[in-house]
Amino acid sequence: MIVRNLNDARMTDRLVKADGWDSTRLVLAEDGMGFSFHITRIAPGSSHVFHYKHHFESVYCVSGQGSIEDLATGQVHPIRPGVIYALDQHDKHRLSAETELVMACCFNPPVTGQEVHREDGSYAPVPEHA
Amino acid sequence: MIVRNLNDARMTDRLVKADGWDSTRLVLAEDGMGFSFHITRIAPGSSHVFHYKHHFESVYCVSGQGSIEDLATGQVHPIRPGVIYALDQHDKHRLSAETELVMACCFNPPVTGQEVHREDGSYAPVPEHA
């Protein structure tokens, strides 16, 4: 059994910071669970385009208010506590925060912790960092 | 892109009720994500033994206070918001709620929604309901 704490993890390299968001990787590929689990914060007033071409991701809103735009269709969905979106089509999207968003994210395949967001908003497929 | 809402899902058969807990399955096997994602509530003052012999599960505490006991070692870990446990050894455990616990749970393999908890605290392996 693995037990971890978000506040402790934020003081380690599990916390990855980017412009307008950060993400704390509480479960990673090395844990052998077959998925990774992250708590991600999106700064109020910020907007981000992500496109996980090589991963499935679900994102559950723990707190905050914002929206997600499906960039294939232009459809915008409000993000509120209790809303989840699942990128089952590797959907390119824009996530916008009105207030700080705190999101619980699951990735399959699991993130290793070594990924960086590429220019196109994706993470590389696993073999590129294996 | 799939978008769902916890409050809406609780009015459907995504909400599974048991004695002292309930669980709302926001992402299920049929969604093709390779994991399932549930919001589980544990009633205050209740205690439950679970043993997912055939699944990996991670559980993140969104709100509430309680504890988890590793039944192999007797070790007890406090559960507070921001604490996650990952049952990487299919650990048999007792989850106890002092106040209502709200937990964000990921399962691999994904739950189909048809499982029932068996006498031994497990879900059946996937082939038994395939």
Side-chain angles (χ1 to χ4, degrees):
Chain A
M1 181 184 303
I2 297 165
V3 181
R4 297 191 177 116
N5 180 301
L6 179 62
N7 287 336
D8 293 345
R10 282 187 176 149
M11 291 185 285
T12 71
D13 61 6
R14 291 182 178 279
L15 174 62
V16 174
K17 294 183 182 180
D19 187 18
W21 61 272
D22 67 31
S23 184
T24 304
R25 281 78 184 264
L26 290 172
V27 174
L28 283 168
E30 65 194 19
D31 295 317
M33 301 290 287
F35 56 82
S36 59
F37 183 91
H38 318 173
I39 297 294
T40 297
R41 295 183 289 199
I42 311 289
S46 73
S47 185
H48 308 276
V49 174
F50 298 117
H51 191 194
Y52 298 112
K53 297 177 183 177
H54 312 292
H55 298 76
F56 293 107
E57 186 196 19
S58 76
V59 179
Y60 176 79
C61 180
V62 174
S63 63
Q65 298 201 358
S67 62
I68 181 172
E69 179 181 356
D70 182 335
L71 291 173
T73 65
Q75 194 172 5
V76 177
H77 304 273
I79 300 291
R80 300 287 183 272
V83 171
I84 192 169
Y85 60 86
L87 304 167
D88 63 328
Q89 305 296 322
H90 305 286
D91 311 80
K92 186 175 182 179
H93 60 285
R94 179 181 290 115
L95 182 60
S96 302
E98 298 159 22
T99 63
E100 182 185 72
L101 291 173
V102 177
M103 315 292 272
C105 311
C106 298
F107 278 84
N108 168 33
V111 166
T112 64
Q114 305 307 311
E115 291 82 357
V116 292
H117 276 88
R118 300 192 292 187
E119 282 297 315
D120 64 356
S122 75
Y123 286 146
V126 172
E128 295 189 25
H129 6 240
Chain B
M1 182 185 303
I2 298 165
V3 181
R4 298 191 177 115
N5 181 301
L6 179 62
N7 287 335
D8 293 344
R10 281 187 176 149
M11 292 184 285
T12 72
D13 62 5
R14 291 183 179 278
L15 174 62
V16 175
K17 294 183 182 180
D19 187 19
W21 61 271
D22 67 29
S23 184
T24 304
R25 282 77 184 266
L26 290 172
V27 174
L28 282 168
E30 66 195 18
D31 294 317
M33 301 290 287
F35 56 82
S36 59
F37 183 91
H38 318 172
I39 297 293
T40 298
R41 295 183 288 199
I42 311 290
S46 74
S47 186
H48 309 275
V49 173
F50 298 117
H51 191 192
Y52 298 113
K53 298 176 184 178
H54 311 292
H55 297 76
F56 294 107
E57 186 196 20
S58 77
V59 179
Y60 177 80
C61 180
V62 174
S63 63
Q65 298 200 358
S67 62
I68 180 173
E69 179 181 356
D70 182 336
L71 291 172
T73 64
Q75 192 172 6
V76 177
H77 304 274
I79 299 291
R80 300 287 183 271
V83 171
I84 191 169
Y85 60 86
L87 304 167
D88 63 328
Q89 304 297 322
H90 305 286
D91 312 78
K92 187 176 183 180
H93 60 284
R94 179 181 288 115
L95 182 61
S96 302
E98 297 159 23
T99 63
E100 182 185 72
L101 291 173
V102 177
M103 314 292 272
C105 310
C106 299
F107 278 85
N108 167 32
V111 166
T112 65
Q114 305 306 311
E115 291 83 356
V116 292
H117 276 87
R118 301 191 292 188
E119 282 296 314
D120 64 357
S122 76
Y123 286 147
V126 172
E128 293 189 28
H129 1 240

